[in-house]
Amino acid sequence: MSLHNSLHHSAAREWSEPHIHPSNLIYPIFVTDKVEDKQIPGFEPNVQWGMGADKSYGGLIEYLKGLQAIGLRSVMLFGVVAAKDAKATPASAEDTPVIVVTKLLRKSLPELQILLDV
C-alpha cells in the first residue's frame, strides 16, 4: 500500500490531526553565504545563519539538533543572498546557501522535514 504523496512524511500525516504539537510547526531558517551569523532585529531568536569559517554551517546544525530533541520536525529554508537577478539564477546554483544547507541537513538530520523557499 502506498500513501498519498502529501502524506509521505510522518510530520505531514500528523498535520491532519486536530491538535497543536511541535509537528504542526515549521521553523523558518534564514541562511546566508556570509561567514558569521547576523541578528535579525525584531525577529529574535532567528538569525541569518552564516556558514562559519569551515563552511559547514556547524552552528546551525547544532542549533537544530537541540530543537529536534524537543520535538521540532520541520524547517523551511530561506536564502539570503546579495546577488539577485530577475530570473532568480542563484536559486538553483549548487553553491547557493539553501542548496548547500539542504544537503548538509539531509546528512546530519535525516529525520527532519526540509521545505525550501528558493
Side-chain angles (χ1 to χ4, degrees):
M1 178 169 101
S2 65
L3 293 174
H4 186 275
N5 60 3
S6 69
L7 300 176
H8 74 283
H9 194 278
S10 59
R13 288 191 296 275
E14 290 177 9
W15 290 341
S16 65
E17 298 176 14
H19 67 281
I20 299 296
H21 183 268
S23 66
N24 296 107
L25 307 175
I26 300 172
Y27 194 78
I29 300 292
F30 300 89
V31 293
T32 181
D33 56 2
K34 306 287 186 215
V35 173
E36 295 182 7
D37 301 339
K38 180 182 174 188
Q39 296 295 320
I40 304 173
F43 202 44
E44 293 85 3
N46 275 312
V47 298
Q48 290 179 1
W49 291 94
M51 61 183 152
D54 62 357
K55 300 183 179 184
S56 70
Y57 290 90
L60 171 61
I61 291 170
E62 290 306 311
Y63 180 73
L64 291 177
K65 283 181 180 178
L67 292 179
Q68 192 176 36
I70 59 172
L72 180 71
R73 305 276 302 277
S74 303
V75 296
M76 184 165 210
L77 300 179
F78 296 88
V80 181
V81 295
K84 296 180 181 181
D85 62 29
K87 295 182 181 180
T89 306
S92 60
E94 285 294 314
D95 62 346
T96 195
V98 169
I99 303 298
V100 171
V101 171
T102 298
K103 291 176 181 180
L104 291 169
L105 290 179
R106 289 199 183 279
K107 288 179 185 174
S108 302
L109 302 165
E111 297 299 317
L112 188 66
Q113 178 172 244
I114 304 167
L115 297 95
L116 309 178
D117 176 73
V118 291

PDB file of all heavy atoms in Angstrom, residues 55-77:
ATOM      1  N   LYS A  55      32.874  26.580   6.523  1.00  0.00           N
ATOM      2  CA  LYS A  55      31.782  26.454   5.545  1.00  0.00           C
ATOM      3  C   LYS A  55      30.875  25.247   5.801  1.00  0.00           C
ATOM      4  O   LYS A  55      30.259  24.717   4.892  1.00  0.00           O
ATOM      5  CB  LYS A  55      32.333  26.400   4.113  1.00  0.00           C
ATOM      6  CG  LYS A  55      33.109  27.635   3.729  1.00  0.00           C
ATOM      7  CD  LYS A  55      33.580  27.575   2.301  1.00  0.00           C
ATOM      8  CE  LYS A  55      34.339  28.847   1.961  1.00  0.00           C
ATOM      9  NZ  LYS A  55      34.749  28.897   0.575  1.00  0.00           N
ATOM     10  N   SER A  56      30.754  24.845   7.073  1.00  0.00           N
ATOM     11  CA  SER A  56      29.966  23.660   7.408  1.00  0.00           C
ATOM     12  C   SER A  56      28.588  23.981   7.992  1.00  0.00           C
ATOM     13  O   SER A  56      27.800  23.079   8.219  1.00  0.00           O
ATOM     14  CB  SER A  56      30.724  22.815   8.428  1.00  0.00           C
ATOM     15  OG  SER A  56      30.749  23.475   9.695  1.00  0.00           O
ATOM     16  N   TYR A  57      28.307  25.239   8.256  1.00  0.00           N
ATOM     17  CA  TYR A  57      27.073  25.649   8.924  1.00  0.00           C
ATOM     18  C   TYR A  57      26.901  24.872  10.237  1.00  0.00           C
ATOM     19  O   TYR A  57      25.799  24.514  10.634  1.00  0.00           O
ATOM     20  CB  TYR A  57      25.848  25.467   8.024  1.00  0.00           C
ATOM     21  CG  TYR A  57      25.810  26.445   6.868  1.00  0.00           C
ATOM     22  CD1 TYR A  57      26.394  26.150   5.646  1.00  0.00           C
ATOM     23  CD2 TYR A  57      25.183  27.672   7.002  1.00  0.00           C
ATOM     24  CE1 TYR A  57      26.366  27.050   4.583  1.00  0.00           C
ATOM     25  CE2 TYR A  57      25.137  28.577   5.952  1.00  0.00           C
ATOM     26  CZ  TYR A  57      25.731  28.254   4.739  1.00  0.00           C
ATOM     27  OH  TYR A  57      25.697  29.148   3.698  1.00  0.00           O
ATOM     28  N   GLY A  58      28.024  24.598  10.904  1.00  0.00           N
ATOM     29  CA  GLY A  58      28.017  23.805  12.129  1.00  0.00           C
ATOM     30  C   GLY A  58      27.154  24.388  13.236  1.00  0.00           C
ATOM     31  O   GLY A  58      26.485  23.658  13.957  1.00  0.00           O
ATOM     32  N   GLY A  59      27.155  25.720  13.381  1.00  0.00           N
ATOM     33  CA  GLY A  59      26.322  26.353  14.411  1.00  0.00           C
ATOM     34  C   GLY A  59      24.845  26.098  14.175  1.00  0.00           C
ATOM     35  O   GLY A  59      24.093  25.804  15.104  1.00  0.00           O
ATOM     36  N   LEU A  60      24.417  26.190  12.933  1.00  0.00           N
ATOM     37  CA  LEU A  60      23.021  25.929  12.582  1.00  0.00           C
ATOM     38  C   LEU A  60      22.660  24.475  12.847  1.00  0.00           C
ATOM     39  O   LEU A  60      21.608  24.183  13.437  1.00  0.00           O
ATOM     40  CB  LEU A  60      22.759  26.277  11.115  1.00  0.00           C
ATOM     41  CG  LEU A  60      21.404  25.854  10.552  1.00  0.00           C
ATOM     42  CD1 LEU A  60      20.262  26.513  11.305  1.00  0.00           C
ATOM     43  CD2 LEU A  60      21.331  26.164   9.065  1.00  0.00           C
ATOM     44  N   ILE A  61      23.509  23.577  12.442  1.00  0.00           N
ATOM     45  CA  ILE A  61      23.212  22.150  12.612  1.00  0.00           C
ATOM     46  C   ILE A  61      23.091  21.796  14.087  1.00  0.00           C
ATOM     47  O   ILE A  61      22.153  21.107  14.494  1.00  0.00           O
ATOM     48  CB  ILE A  61      24.251  21.287  11.889  1.00  0.00           C
ATOM     49  CG1 ILE A  61      24.075  21.465  10.369  1.00  0.00           C
ATOM     50  CG2 ILE A  61      24.131  19.818  12.279  1.00  0.00           C
ATOM     51  CD1 ILE A  61      25.165  20.880   9.521  1.00  0.00           C
ATOM     52  N   GLU A  62      23.990  22.299  14.913  1.00  0.00           N
ATOM     53  CA  GLU A  62      23.910  22.030  16.354  1.00  0.00           C
ATOM     54  C   GLU A  62      22.654  22.643  16.955  1.00  0.00           C
ATOM     55  O   GLU A  62      21.995  22.038  17.806  1.00  0.00           O
ATOM     56  CB  GLU A  62      25.167  22.534  17.071  1.00  0.00           C
ATOM     57  CG  GLU A  62      26.393  21.718  16.760  1.00  0.00           C
ATOM     58  CD  GLU A  62      26.201  20.219  17.035  1.00  0.00           C
ATOM     59  OE1 GLU A  62      25.726  19.850  18.131  1.00  0.00           O
ATOM     60  OE2 GLU A  62      26.515  19.411  16.132  1.00  0.00           O
ATOM     61  N   TYR A  63      22.296  23.848  16.521  1.00  0.00           N
ATOM     62  CA  TYR A  63      21.080  24.510  16.998  1.00  0.00           C
ATOM     63  C   TYR A  63      19.848  23.669  16.663  1.00  0.00           C
ATOM     64  O   TYR A  63      18.981  23.445  17.511  1.00  0.00           O
ATOM     65  CB  TYR A  63      20.986  25.897  16.357  1.00  0.00           C
ATOM     66  CG  TYR A  63      19.780  26.699  16.764  1.00  0.00           C
ATOM     67  CD1 TYR A  63      19.685  27.272  18.025  1.00  0.00           C
ATOM     68  CD2 TYR A  63      18.739  26.918  15.869  1.00  0.00           C
ATOM     69  CE1 TYR A  63      18.577  28.018  18.389  1.00  0.00           C
ATOM     70  CE2 TYR A  63      17.633  27.671  16.215  1.00  0.00           C
ATOM     71  CZ  TYR A  63      17.557  28.220  17.480  1.00  0.00           C
ATOM     72  OH  TYR A  63      16.463  28.961  17.841  1.00  0.00           O
ATOM     73  N   LEU A  64      19.784  23.181  15.436  1.00  0.00           N
ATOM     74  CA  LEU A  64      18.631  22.380  15.025  1.00  0.00           C
ATOM     75  C   LEU A  64      18.593  21.023  15.718  1.00  0.00           C
ATOM     76  O   LEU A  64      17.511  20.501  15.985  1.00  0.00           O
ATOM     77  CB  LEU A  64      18.611  22.214  13.508  1.00  0.00           C
ATOM     78  CG  LEU A  64      18.303  23.490  12.725  1.00  0.00           C
ATOM     79  CD1 LEU A  64      18.386  23.235  11.229  1.00  0.00           C
ATOM     80  CD2 LEU A  64      16.942  24.054  13.110  1.00  0.00           C
ATOM     81  N   LYS A  65      19.738  20.449  16.020  1.00  0.00           N
ATOM     82  CA  LYS A  65      19.753  19.187  16.772  1.00  0.00           C
ATOM     83  C   LYS A  65      19.077  19.384  18.125  1.00  0.00           C
ATOM     84  O   LYS A  65      18.307  18.533  18.571  1.00  0.00           O
ATOM     85  CB  LYS A  65      21.182  18.679  16.958  1.00  0.00           C
ATOM     86  CG  LYS A  65      21.760  18.027  15.724  1.00  0.00           C
ATOM     87  CD  LYS A  65      23.174  17.525  15.972  1.00  0.00           C
ATOM     88  CE  LYS A  65      23.742  16.872  14.718  1.00  0.00           C
ATOM     89  NZ  LYS A  65      25.123  16.411  14.911  1.00  0.00           N
ATOM     90  N   GLY A  66      19.362  20.502  18.769  1.00  0.00           N
ATOM     91  CA  GLY A  66      18.717  20.801  20.049  1.00  0.00           C
ATOM     92  C   GLY A  66      17.214  20.966  19.920  1.00  0.00           C
ATOM     93  O   GLY A  66      16.447  20.467  20.743  1.00  0.00           O
ATOM     94  N   LEU A  67      16.770  21.653  18.884  1.00  0.00           N
ATOM     95  CA  LEU A  67      15.328  21.830  18.669  1.00  0.00           C
ATOM     96  C   LEU A  67      14.652  20.516  18.291  1.00  0.00           C
ATOM     97  O   LEU A  67      13.530  20.240  18.717  1.00  0.00           O
ATOM     98  CB  LEU A  67      15.078  22.886  17.587  1.00  0.00           C
ATOM     99  CG  LEU A  67      15.458  24.318  17.937  1.00  0.00           C
ATOM    100  CD1 LEU A  67      15.177  25.233  16.754  1.00  0.00           C
ATOM    101  CD2 LEU A  67      14.725  24.796  19.176  1.00  0.00           C
ATOM    102  N   GLN A  68      15.351  19.709  17.509  1.00  0.00           N
ATOM    103  CA  GLN A  68      14.786  18.414  17.123  1.00  0.00           C
ATOM    104  C   GLN A  68      14.615  17.528  18.359  1.00  0.00           C
ATOM    105  O   GLN A  68      13.635  16.786  18.463  1.00  0.00           O
ATOM    106  CB  GLN A  68      15.675  17.748  16.086  1.00  0.00           C
ATOM    107  CG  GLN A  68      15.030  16.555  15.418  1.00  0.00           C
ATOM    108  CD  GLN A  68      15.902  15.968  14.319  1.00  0.00           C
ATOM    109  OE1 GLN A  68      17.124  15.944  14.427  1.00  0.00           O
ATOM    110  NE2 GLN A  68      15.259  15.492  13.268  1.00  0.00           N
ATOM    111  N   ALA A  69      15.526  17.636  19.297  1.00  0.00           N
ATOM    112  CA  ALA A  69      15.446  16.836  20.523  1.00  0.00           C
ATOM    113  C   ALA A  69      14.200  17.164  21.351  1.00  0.00           C
ATOM    114  O   ALA A  69      13.718  16.313  22.094  1.00  0.00           O
ATOM    115  CB  ALA A  69      16.705  17.039  21.367  1.00  0.00           C
ATOM    116  N   ILE A  70      13.657  18.384  21.193  1.00  0.00           N
ATOM    117  CA  ILE A  70      12.450  18.747  21.942  1.00  0.00           C
ATOM    118  C   ILE A  70      11.200  18.750  21.063  1.00  0.00           C
ATOM    119  O   ILE A  70      10.175  19.295  21.435  1.00  0.00           O
ATOM    120  CB  ILE A  70      12.613  20.096  22.679  1.00  0.00           C
ATOM    121  CG1 ILE A  70      12.931  21.235  21.705  1.00  0.00           C
ATOM    122  CG2 ILE A  70      13.674  19.989  23.758  1.00  0.00           C
ATOM    123  CD1 ILE A  70      12.902  22.623  22.347  1.00  0.00           C
ATOM    124  N   GLY A  71      11.305  18.154  19.863  1.00  0.00           N
ATOM    125  CA  GLY A  71      10.105  17.932  19.064  1.00  0.00           C
ATOM    126  C   GLY A  71      10.022  18.595  17.711  1.00  0.00           C
ATOM    127  O   GLY A  71       9.065  18.361  16.981  1.00  0.00           O
ATOM    128  N   LEU A  72      10.981  19.429  17.337  1.00  0.00           N
ATOM    129  CA  LEU A  72      10.919  20.060  16.015  1.00  0.00           C
ATOM    130  C   LEU A  72      11.014  18.993  14.932  1.00  0.00           C
ATOM    131  O   LEU A  72      11.867  18.120  14.980  1.00  0.00           O
ATOM    132  CB  LEU A  72      12.062  21.070  15.842  1.00  0.00           C
ATOM    133  CG  LEU A  72      12.077  21.779  14.487  1.00  0.00           C
ATOM    134  CD1 LEU A  72      10.914  22.762  14.386  1.00  0.00           C
ATOM    135  CD2 LEU A  72      13.399  22.497  14.273  1.00  0.00           C
ATOM    136  N   ARG A  73      10.136  19.078  13.945  1.00  0.00           N
ATOM    137  CA  ARG A  73      10.119  18.082  12.869  1.00  0.00           C
ATOM    138  C   ARG A  73      10.331  18.691  11.489  1.00  0.00           C
ATOM    139  O   ARG A  73      10.699  17.992  10.565  1.00  0.00           O
ATOM    140  CB  ARG A  73       8.771  17.344  12.866  1.00  0.00           C
ATOM    141  CG  ARG A  73       8.369  16.698  14.178  1.00  0.00           C
ATOM    142  CD  ARG A  73       8.977  15.340  14.382  1.00  0.00           C
ATOM    143  NE  ARG A  73       8.660  14.386  13.367  1.00  0.00           N
ATOM    144  CZ  ARG A  73       7.547  13.657  13.306  1.00  0.00           C
ATOM    145  NH1 ARG A  73       6.629  13.776  14.211  1.00  0.00           N
ATOM    146  NH2 ARG A  73       7.375  12.799  12.327  1.00  0.00           N
ATOM    147  N   SER A  74      10.055  20.012  11.342  1.00  0.00           N
ATOM    148  CA  SER A  74      10.086  20.624  10.011  1.00  0.00           C
ATOM    149  C   SER A  74      10.718  22.012  10.061  1.00  0.00           C
ATOM    150  O   SER A  74      10.471  22.776  10.985  1.00  0.00           O
ATOM    151  CB  SER A  74       8.663  20.781   9.462  1.00  0.00           C
ATOM    152  OG  SER A  74       7.995  19.542   9.416  1.00  0.00           O
ATOM    153  N   VAL A  75      11.502  22.316   9.035  1.00  0.00           N
ATOM    154  CA  VAL A  75      12.059  23.654   8.876  1.00  0.00           C
ATOM    155  C   VAL A  75      11.826  24.116   7.448  1.00  0.00           C
ATOM    156  O   VAL A  75      11.649  23.304   6.538  1.00  0.00           O
ATOM    157  CB  VAL A  75      13.584  23.702   9.177  1.00  0.00           C
ATOM    158  CG1 VAL A  75      13.867  23.353  10.616  1.00  0.00           C
ATOM    159  CG2 VAL A  75      14.379  22.829   8.235  1.00  0.00           C
ATOM    160  N   MET A  76      11.808  25.431   7.269  1.00  0.00           N
ATOM    161  CA  MET A  76      11.744  25.999   5.932  1.00  0.00           C
ATOM    162  C   MET A  76      12.957  26.894   5.772  1.00  0.00           C
ATOM    163  O   MET A  76      13.185  27.785   6.588  1.00  0.00           O
ATOM    164  CB  MET A  76      10.471  26.789   5.689  1.00  0.00           C
ATOM    165  CG  MET A  76      10.356  27.311   4.281  1.00  0.00           C
ATOM    166  SD  MET A  76       8.674  27.837   3.926  1.00  0.00           S
ATOM    167  CE  MET A  76       8.608  27.529   2.183  1.00  0.00           C
ATOM    168  N   LEU A  77      13.742  26.626   4.737  1.00  0.00           N
ATOM    169  CA  LEU A  77      14.958  27.377   4.483  1.00  0.00           C
ATOM    170  C   LEU A  77      14.684  28.551   3.547  1.00  0.00           C
ATOM    171  O   LEU A  77      14.039  28.397   2.509  1.00  0.00           O
ATOM    172  CB  LEU A  77      16.019  26.483   3.847  1.00  0.00           C
ATOM    173  CG  LEU A  77      16.457  25.266   4.651  1.00  0.00           C
ATOM    174  CD1 LEU A  77      17.494  24.462   3.869  1.00  0.00           C
ATOM    175  CD2 LEU A  77      17.005  25.672   5.999  1.00  0.00           C
TER     176      LEU A  77
END
